Amino acid sequence: MVKSFHLAGAVLAAAGLISPSLAAQSTFVSPSQSLAFGLSIPDDATNDDLYFSLAMPTGEYWAAVGLGNDRMSGTLVFMIYSSASGENVTFSPRLATSNTEPEYYSSLDYETLTDNTGLVDDATYVYSAVCHNCRKWPGGSIDVTSKAQKFIFATGPAGDVRSDNQRESVKIHYEHGTFTMDMVHATGAAGPTTLNSTTAVYDYGATLVGQVTEGMTDWVAVVHAVFMVGCFVVLMPFGVLILRVGQWVRWHGFHQGVAMVGVIIGFGLGIKTSTLYNRSKNFSNPHQIIGLLVFFFLLGQFVLGCMHHRKFKKTQQPTKLAPIHVWLGRLILVLGFVNGFL
């Protein structure tokens, strides 16, 4: 069990060593001190191992480092978050192929270094491992001779995952940035990395590149919600009142047509945001299923309304489509309202 290193909130507190280490090491510490990452490379040409440690404070949703690139696409991601008990840390290796949530990478060959892994002083989660195939992966690689190897890092918002599932879907990052690491500086005798009050206060053999982006929000999801709430709670009910109270048929049709356009835009945004997360990529959760049904019901409702109106204009008599149009409309409003809470 780790004994001493911890990030207290966003401040790295003084602490003793986790364990003694003679290994060479490069270390990156994020400017907000919400993440620390150490890397060590054996100087034996026949040894392809990489030793690494990753730390984050409690109260942070997740932390991750991406190897091999200064953008998400093509990176091997090391992610950590709190275990189900909250007394340990879950490590989740992932592959990033685009600017979406990286997917679990089951082919990573690694061993957890349990003596250097765990919850420290109820303040910091630390994970340490030796990886046997981390120098090359599908879509990317690292150059262990580079003095400026590219990396990315990110941390989640405030919160607590509490999961042992390595495939756990997580929230969008709160902060992210890029850095380079001197791999030559990290090369030496084979051995585990050490994160403590000496090695993880400042960067050693690592350099932040550019500015850190903070305060990220999934605006696609936010705008999707605004469009859908506006259409199902405001525009459509008002369109019904126009017909029932004012008997303004044309304004009813025009108003509901505008609402239909709003729903189409909101639907497209919903599809877009669904592709960003592992939990929603398969379109299998109740909100998505009901949303799809409501959307296709609404298309049918629009067609029924047009057909009913054209036939009524010719005959000036109620049509068989009228009750279907009315009751389908009521069902759509109820389902749309309920779906907003799912």
Side-chain angles (χ1 to χ4, degrees), residues 89-266:
V89 59
T90 298
F91 172 63
S92 176
R94 305 188 178 202
L95 286 181
T97 56
S98 62
N99 290 326
T100 61
E101 183 182 357
E103 296 187 3
Y104 177 66
Y105 181 46
S106 61
S107 298
L108 198 72
D109 182 12
Y110 65 95
E111 298 174 52
T112 299
L113 303 178
T114 55
D115 287 343
N116 287 13
T117 294
L119 175 62
V120 186
D121 295 339
D122 293 325
T124 305
Y125 291 110
V126 182
Y127 180 81
S128 299
V130 54
C131 183
H132 306 303
N133 63 344
C134 287
R135 300 191 183 192
K136 189 174 183 180
W137 56 89
S141 63
I142 59 171
D143 179 3
V144 295
T145 65
S146 173
K147 291 191 174 184
Q149 174 62 58
K150 296 176 180 178
F151 289 80
I152 59 175
F153 74 94
T155 59
D160 205 1
V161 175
R162 290 291 183 103
S163 175
D164 294 330
N165 182 8
Q166 292 181 294
R167 302 175 186 269
E168 187 72 30
S169 184
V170 298
K171 297 178 181 179
I172 193 171
H173 44 65
Y174 173 78
E175 68 171 359
H176 67 92
T178 63
F179 66 96
T180 60
M181 186 166 275
D182 186 343
M183 308 298 270
V184 176
H185 183 274
T187 301
T193 50
T194 299
L195 294 178
N196 55 44
S197 60
T198 300
T199 64
V201 177
Y202 305 106
D203 295 334
Y204 292 92
T207 304
L208 180 71
V209 178
Q211 299 295 316
V212 177
T213 301
E214 294 185 350
M216 292 293 292
T217 300
D218 184 358
W219 287 110
V220 177
V222 172
V223 178
H224 161 74
V226 169
F227 266 91
M228 290 310 200
V229 170
C231 290
F232 283 95
V233 177
V234 180
L235 292 182
M236 289 184 182
F238 186 69
V240 174
L241 288 176
I242 288 176
L243 179 64
R244 296 302 175 191
V245 177
Q247 299 296 312
W248 295 319
V249 177
R250 289 186 178 181
W251 279 109
H252 167 76
F254 175 79
H255 193 87
Q256 300 303 61
V258 171
M260 181 68 194
V261 171
V263 169
I264 291 173
I265 295 173

Side-chain angles (χ1 to χ4, degrees), residues 228 231-232 236 256-265 267 290-306 325 328-333 335-336:
M228 290 310 200
C231 290
F232 283 95
M236 289 184 182
Q256 300 303 61
V258 171
M260 181 68 194
V261 171
V263 169
I264 291 173
I265 295 173
F267 180 78
I290 293 176
L292 288 169
L293 287 174
V294 168
F295 180 74
F296 290 116
F297 282 168
L298 195 57
L299 291 178
Q301 173 75 341
F302 189 78
V303 172
L304 281 173
C306 291
H325 180 68
L328 182 58
R330 291 169 179 170
L331 177 63
I332 288 170
L333 287 177
L335 287 177

